[in-house]
Amino acid sequence: MSAAAQGRGEHITECRAVGVVPNANATPLANALRGMCTKYNKMNVYEATLTIPGKNTNMRVQRRVRPSNNTNPVHEKLADRWCVLWESAPNLGPTYRDLPATVREVCESQCAGSSAPAFWQSLGAKFQYNNKEAAARKLSLGAKFQYDMVKEGNEYICHHKGFEMRVQLMRILAPTVPGNPDSATKNVSANFLLDVTTRVGEGQHVEGARAVGSFGQSLQPLVSLQRAERPIAG
């Protein structure tokens, strides 16, 4: 990836909970979500997680997986568009500890190119210090690759307690060639995962996290949600 065009990021507060579907058959849960949602779409997304040296944040870069035997030029263009999501560690303290969902600060933007993970990893090596003061700081902009996966399933948009919930019911697949979004994949687990997030305005994190918890309770016993303390597959 020789160049990347990145749009201005939007800073957001995100409340999130995840759960493992105990039964390998996720059809009952999928049917329940279909009855609750306002819309849903198929999802087949490559995601790589990277870290920035010296920063307490993760970077997740995502793009659609190219369809096999693809001949559609529109799909080719979409495959080169990446979503870049910077996310903080979960907020700590008594206000957050007992909430049913984790609360993080996130910043989402877009970039374009053949390999966003490779671009962000190489950025530190390409950075040129223009003065002695900057060089003395020894700033490292290069990201460190942690792991990658393919998320395959459905994404549902639901509304609960006045909040919009983005609900992903998915299998996690592992690329056979780490770092290659278009390589073949293999199953990591027979069970499906459920990932529920809502993005809230300033000062609404308590209400948003409780709404995520309440939404999860409405899906029991099909799935039980827990706080997303760690990234999926992390």
Side-chain angles (χ1 to χ4, degrees), residues 118-222:
F119 170 78
W120 288 104
Q121 290 177 85
S122 67
L123 192 58
K126 293 180 178 179
F127 186 83
Q128 298 294 322
Y129 296 110
N130 57 12
N131 58 57
K132 292 182 180 180
E133 181 181 356
R137 294 189 191 124
K138 298 182 179 179
L139 297 177
S140 177
L141 300 180
K144 183 178 180 182
F145 179 88
Q146 298 295 318
Y147 56 86
D148 59 356
M149 70 185 89
V150 172
K151 298 178 176 180
E152 181 182 82
N154 290 332
E155 181 175 272
Y156 307 83
I157 302 299
C158 304
H159 292 84
H160 183 75
K161 302 284 187 181
F163 293 92
E164 181 179 280
M165 304 285 166
R166 187 181 68 173
V167 184
Q168 295 180 339
L169 177 61
M170 58 196 168
R171 293 188 306 157
I172 300 298
L173 309 177
T176 54
V177 181
N180 183 350
D182 299 310
S183 68
T185 56
K186 57 184 179 182
N187 285 336
V188 173
S189 171
N191 293 80
F192 281 73
L193 296 180
L194 192 72
D195 188 335
V196 180
T197 60
T198 187
R199 292 178 171 179
V200 301
E202 185 176 357
Q204 291 185 301
H205 54 275
V206 172
E207 293 86 352
R210 288 174 177 168
V212 171
S214 172
F215 181 81
Q217 289 178 348
S218 71
L219 298 175
Q220 292 180 350
L222 298 173

Side-chain angles (χ1 to χ4, degrees), residues 97-113:
R97 185 174 52 232
D98 297 327
L99 294 174
T102 54
V103 178
R104 286 181 172 85
E105 303 305 316
V106 301
C107 180
E108 184 175 303
S109 58
Q110 307 288 327
C111 67

Side-chain angles (χ1 to χ4, degrees), residues 13 88-93 96-97 102-105 205 227 229:
T13 300
S88 71
N91 292 351
L92 302 176
Y96 304 98
R97 185 174 52 232
T102 54
V103 178
R104 286 181 172 85
E105 303 305 316
H205 54 275
R227 291 164 52 88
E229 302 288 359

Side-chain angles (χ1 to χ4, degrees), residues 6 10 12 14 16 47-48 50 57-62 82-88 105-110 166 199:
Q6 185 173 8
E10 179 184 3
I12 313 160
E14 184 177 83
R16 186 179 184 196
E47 177 179 290
L50 304 96
T57 59
N58 281 327
M59 175 194 291
R60 290 192 286 151
V61 290
Q62 305 168 330
W82 294 79
C83 173
V84 181
L85 184 67
W86 302 76
E87 56 184 14
S88 71
E105 303 305 316
V106 301
C107 180
E108 184 175 303
S109 58
Q110 307 288 327
R166 187 181 68 173
R199 292 178 171 179

